Amino acid sequence: MAVNILVVEDEPAIQELIAVNLEHAGHHVIRARDAETALGFVKSALPDLMLIDWMLPGISGVALARQLRQDERTRGIPLILLTARSEEQDKVAGLEAGADDYVTKPFSPRELMARIKAVLRRRAPQMTDDPVETGGLRLDPSTHRVFGNGTPLDLGPTEFRLLHFLMTHAERVHSRAQLLDQVWGDHVFVEERTVDVHIRRLRKALEPTGHDRHVETVRGSGYRFTALPP
Ligand code: CA
């Protein structure tokens, strides 16, 4: 599955090496040379994952990680810190700042890819190809198919992504703004009522097997996928 990765690295050669490898693996890469530029990107669209160099001009990578973790909107972005420092206490400082993992330079592209995969699996399961199943509803990202009690259900691409996110973040209430950020990747240029339209389509698609009951409206807050509908 293609993932949007924001690479914050000031050394052009390393940035290029990382970007080429990520793009080769089918991901979309956004490049920033410092924390301020990265924050500008994040403001308009949330990336699926960020690779952050520790030593950056201006705001350091660790300070950037800490800042992202303090903001409710950006708290959930999976973060991997890149660093030339291999001291144990640096590693601890990086993880305390909120990084999900820590890769020491020089690293092989293969190692970096493996770490990215592991972090996504842990922090953003909707970005992996692992199938998810709840109450007889099964969604398989690798084949892009959804089954209700074994019966194939017909979902549009947006409804598919929406259901994937909701199922991998079940029992939690998501506001329309959060869903736009997480599913559309854009909370600035898409209207919130767009979410309602796609929730309606999603329910309709799940109706044939009664799985629409799993998608709940939480009045005044947003939507929730529950394993145990009323
Ligand atoms: Ca650097």
Side-chain angles (χ1 to χ4, degrees):
M1 185 168 283
V3 172
N4 293 312
I5 300 179
L6 176 51
V7 179
V8 195
E9 166 65 79
D10 60 312
E11 285 155 75
I14 298 176
Q15 189 192 73
E16 180 68 15
L17 175 78
I18 294 171
V20 164
N21 278 283
L22 291 175
E23 279 163 1
H24 186 72
H27 300 309
H28 301 134
V29 179
I30 309 132
R31 307 176 189 209
R33 293 187 61 178
D34 53 53
E36 289 84 351
T37 310
L39 288 169
F41 284 129
V42 169
K43 210 167 184 177
S44 59
L46 285 185
D48 300 318
L49 182 138
M50 286 175 73
L51 290 178
I52 304 172
D53 183 32
W54 183 300
M55 301 293 276
L56 291 170
I59 301 172
S60 76
V62 179
L64 174 60
R66 204 170 286 130
Q67 199 172 323
L68 291 165
R69 285 294 184 251
Q70 277 163 3
D71 182 339
E72 200 196 335
R73 184 175 160 255
T74 56
R75 184 171 294 161
I77 304 174
L79 305 177
I80 297 178
L81 272 177
L82 306 173
T83 179
R85 310 156 72 140
S86 58
E87 302 291 324
E88 193 58 30
Q89 69 195 67
D90 289 336
K91 182 170 179 166
V92 171
L95 295 176
E96 272 176 1
D100 294 293
D101 204 355
Y102 182 99
V103 178
T104 308
K105 294 177 187 175
F107 49 83
S108 70
R110 204 178 157 158
E111 183 194 355
L112 183 62
M113 295 302 147
R115 298 291 191 93
I116 289 173
K117 210 167 180 178
V119 166
L120 285 175
R121 184 155 283 154
R122 188 150 44 89
R123 292 293 312 272
Q126 79 278 13
M127 291 299 152
T128 69
D129 282 340
D130 298 342
V132 273
E133 185 157 8
T134 306
L137 184 65
R138 181 181 168 86
L139 179 146
D140 188 348
S142 58
T143 57
H144 242 261
R145 300 191 77 180
V146 177
F147 295 89
N149 306 325
T151 304
L153 297 170
D154 192 19
L155 270 70
T158 304
E159 287 69 53
F160 186 90
R161 287 206 311 277
L162 187 55
L163 180 63
H164 196 189
F165 178 77
L166 289 172
M167 286 182 82
T168 49
H169 298 80
E171 313 306 337
R172 270 172 273 173
V173 182
H174 307 282
S175 69
R176 290 168 179 80
Q178 284 167 342
L179 290 171
L180 285 177
D181 258 338
Q182 299 291 340
V183 178
W184 279 257
D186 186 337
H187 72 124
V188 181
F189 302 107
V190 185
E191 288 186 63
E192 292 200 354
R193 64 166 175 242
T194 302
V195 175
D196 303 332
V197 171
H198 288 279
I199 287 279
R200 219 174 298 140
R201 287 187 196 159
L202 173 60
R203 284 189 176 133
K204 201 162 174 49
L206 299 179
E207 238 173 47
T209 52
H211 287 98
D212 53 308
R213 294 180 308 123
H214 291 269
V215 182
E216 295 185 330
T217 303
V218 182
R219 198 177 283 274
S221 305
Y223 296 102
R224 167 174 59 204
F225 184 92
T226 180
L228 300 165

